[in-house]
Amino acid sequence: MKIAIHRRKNSFSANWIKYCENKGINYKVVDCYSNNIINQVQECDALMWHFSQANPKDILFAKELTFSLQTAGKKVFPNFPTAWHFDDKVGQKYLLESIGAPLVPSYVFYDKDKALDWVGETSFPKVFKLRRGAGSAHVKLIETKSEATKMVNKAFRQGFRLYNKRANLKNRWYKYKKGQTDLWNLAKGALRFFKEPEYSRIAGHEKGYVYFQDFIAQNDYDIRVIVIGDRAFAIKRLVREGDFRASGSGHISYEKRHFDEATIELSFKMAEKINSQCLALDYVFQDNQPLIVEISYGFVKEGYYPCKGYWDRDLNWHEGSFNAQGWMVETVLS
Ligand SMILES: Nc1ncnc2c1ncn2[C@@H]1O[C@H](COP(=O)(O)OP(=O)(O)O)[C@@H](O)[C@H]1O
Ligand SMILES: [Mg+2]
C-alpha cells in the first residue's frame, strides 16, 4: 500500500508524513495543484489531502479531484461520505434531517417571497448563517422581524461576501484584548478593509438562498466531538464574552468531566450513519439534550493537542495524549 500525500503548511499533512515515516508506511508527496496530479497518484493506492474552506485553490476543485480518484477505486482522505457536505451547512441540513439526527431546527429558502412569508409568521430571535464559513464568522443573532427582513433582502439582492471585514476586525480586536493575538494580527484586520482575501474574491457572493436556525438560548459553551474510526475526543468551547458564539473564541476546556457519555455515544452513531472517516460535530444543549449546529471534517489540529484522552467505541476512556492524524492514516490503510 502506497499513500500519496499533498503537503500543506498548517494542515494535517506534516503529521501524516511523520506517522508514515515512524511506521514504515510507503508514501509519496504529491502536488494536487499540478495538471498531472492523476498521473502522480497513479502508482499509489490512496491520496490524502487536508484541503481547506479558506484556500482559494482548494475551493475550486478539491472535492472534484478526490471524488474522481475515489470513483476510480483509489482510497482517499477525505472520501465522499466524509467531505461532500464540508463547509455547506445547507447540505448538512438535508443530510442530518435524512438520517434523523438531532439537528437544531433549521430553515432554508430559495425564494425571497417564501422567506419573507416565513419571517412574517415565525418567532424571534433566530440565528442567521451562511452555508459556508468557520469560526463563527457568518453566524449572527437576528432579534427582530425587521432585521430578518433586511438579511433576506440582502440574500436575494447583492448577497454576502465570505470575508466580512467588520466582523473579522471585531474578532481580531477581541483576541488582541484577551492576549490571544498580537498587534500585527490586529493591524492585518485593518488592512483587510482595503484588500479582500483571495478565497473570498474567488468564491464570489453567497446569494440566492437564506438559512436560519432556531436560537438555542442559554448556552455559554458548545461541545465539539470528533470521531475518527473507532475513537472519539472532545473539547468544550466557551462563548466570547457578551456573545452567544463559541466557535473560534479561543476559550477551550479539555477536562473529561465536561463531556457526557450520551453525547459521545450519539457522535459515534452519527459518524457511522454518515459513514464518515472523520467527523466533527458541534453541539449546543436544550434541556440537557444535545442538538447539532453543524458538522465538518477538518479542524485546526493544534487546538486538540491538549486533549486529556479519548473514548473508544465501547465508551472506555483512554487517558493520555494521542495522534489523531495517525488515526486518519489508519482509516485509509484499513
Ligand atoms: N442555533 C444556535 N443556537 C445557539 N447557538 C448557536 C446556534 N448555532 C450556532 N451557535 C453558536 O455559534 C457558534 C458558531 O456556529 P456554527 O454553526 O458552528 O458556525 P461555524 O461554522 O462558524 O463554526 C457555535 O459554536 C455555537 O456556539
Ligand atoms: Mg462550528
Side-chain angles (χ1 to χ4, degrees):
M1 178 102 178
K2 186 169 183 177
I3 305 178
I5 297 177
H6 177 88
R7 190 176 0 222
R8 173 171 72 86
K9 234 175 125 178
N10 300 325
S11 81
F12 298 147
S13 63
N15 288 2
W16 290 340
I17 290 171
K18 220 184 292 166
Y19 187 82
C20 287
E21 296 205 327
N22 289 340
K23 298 275 174 185
I25 297 163
N26 203 1
Y27 79 94
K28 167 189 179 183
V29 173
V30 294
D31 175 12
C32 285
Y33 305 131
S34 154
N35 180 50
N36 71 352
I37 178 61
I38 302 297
N39 246 327
Q40 290 184 37
V41 176
Q42 215 56 270
E43 59 164 309
C44 299
D45 307 285
L47 170 70
M48 298 184 76
W49 179 13
H50 179 192
F51 55 79
S52 156
Q53 78 284 353
N55 183 299
K57 296 185 187 119
D58 299 7
I59 56 181
L60 289 173
F61 75 101
K63 290 179 185 177
E64 288 80 351
L65 171 63
T66 48
F67 302 163
S68 299
L69 286 166
Q70 185 179 349
T71 302
K74 304 273 186 206
K75 285 230 171 179
V76 291
F77 183 95
N79 63 9
F80 181 81
T82 307
W84 72 260
H85 43 79
F86 175 57
D87 203 31
D88 182 356
K89 292 182 173 73
V90 174
Q92 292 163 24
K93 167 184 150 69
Y94 297 123
L95 173 63
L96 295 169
E97 287 180 357
S98 304
I99 64 170
L103 170 71
V104 172
S106 302
Y107 312 89
V108 66
F109 302 96
Y110 304 101
D111 289 297
K112 185 173 152 182
D113 291 344
K114 282 191 185 153
L116 289 175
D117 286 349
W118 175 80
V119 166
E121 65 203 26
T122 195
S123 62
F124 286 88
K126 286 279 187 289
V127 178
F128 169 90
K129 298 184 181 187
L130 294 184
R131 67 194 303 179
R132 307 171 73 171
S136 299
H138 301 292
V139 174
K140 194 171 189 278
L141 193 64
I142 303 296
E143 313 238 26
T144 63
K145 280 189 202 304
S146 75
E147 251 183 282
T149 303
K150 261 191 218 159
M151 295 307 259
V152 170
N153 283 329
K154 189 167 177 189
F156 290 96
R157 207 173 289 148
Q158 75 269 42
F160 301 89
R161 287 195 177 280
L162 270 190
Y163 187 83
N164 181 338
K165 50 195 178 190
R166 257 171 228 283
N168 190 282
L169 183 60
K170 205 173 147 200
N171 197 39
R172 288 181 203 245
W173 172 240
Y174 181 84
K175 296 211 151 155
Y176 179 70
K177 274 193 309 187
K178 295 284 162 201
Q180 291 177 14
T181 192
D182 57 15
L183 198 57
W184 172 229
N185 189 268
L186 181 63
K188 278 199 283 196
L191 292 172
R192 280 285 175 219
F193 269 72
F194 307 101
K195 191 168 187 285
E196 186 183 6
E198 208 187 343
Y199 81 88
S200 174
R201 275 195 300 116
I202 286 186
H205 289 203
E206 283 292 297
K207 59 199 270 192
Y209 73 94
V210 67
Y211 181 59
F212 293 94
Q213 285 184 338
D214 282 350
F215 173 55
I216 310 302
Q218 288 170 334
N219 279 273
D220 49 15
Y221 60 85
D222 80 351
I223 296 287
R224 167 170 279 195
V225 181
I226 300 182
V227 179
I228 303 174
D230 287 328
R231 300 180 178 102
F233 50 101
I235 62 171
K236 173 179 181 171
R237 303 180 295 192
L238 308 184
V239 296
R240 296 161 176 82
E241 270 167 35
D243 199 320
F244 73 104
R245 299 163 312 154
S247 159
S249 72
H251 308 306
I252 307 179
S253 302
Y254 294 96
E255 294 73 24
K256 178 170 179 276
R257 64 187 155 83
H258 296 297
F259 314 110
D260 72 279
E261 281 194 352
T263 308
I264 307 299
E265 192 173 9
L266 173 67
S267 304
F268 274 119
K269 218 164 96 191
M270 293 299 107
E272 202 171 311
K273 278 205 174 172
I274 293 172
N275 200 12
S276 173
Q277 298 162 309
C278 177
L279 181 69
L281 305 110
D282 295 350
Y283 294 101
V284 292
F285 294 80
Q286 190 168 47
D287 306 324
N288 290 325
Q289 293 305 308
L291 292 174
I292 301 171
V293 296
E294 70 149 345
I295 56 175
S296 62
Y297 97 88
F299 52 90
V300 179
K301 62 185 186 310
E302 290 77 7
Y304 302 81
Y305 288 161
C307 283
K308 308 286 183 202
Y310 68 88
W311 293 265
D312 63 28
R313 196 72 189 72
D314 301 320
L315 301 183
N316 299 307
W317 172 253
H318 299 258
E319 186 89 15
S321 61
F322 52 86
N323 183 352
Q325 284 70 46
W327 298 343
M328 294 171 189
V329 175
E330 292 300 333
T331 65
V332 167
L333 292 177
S334 69

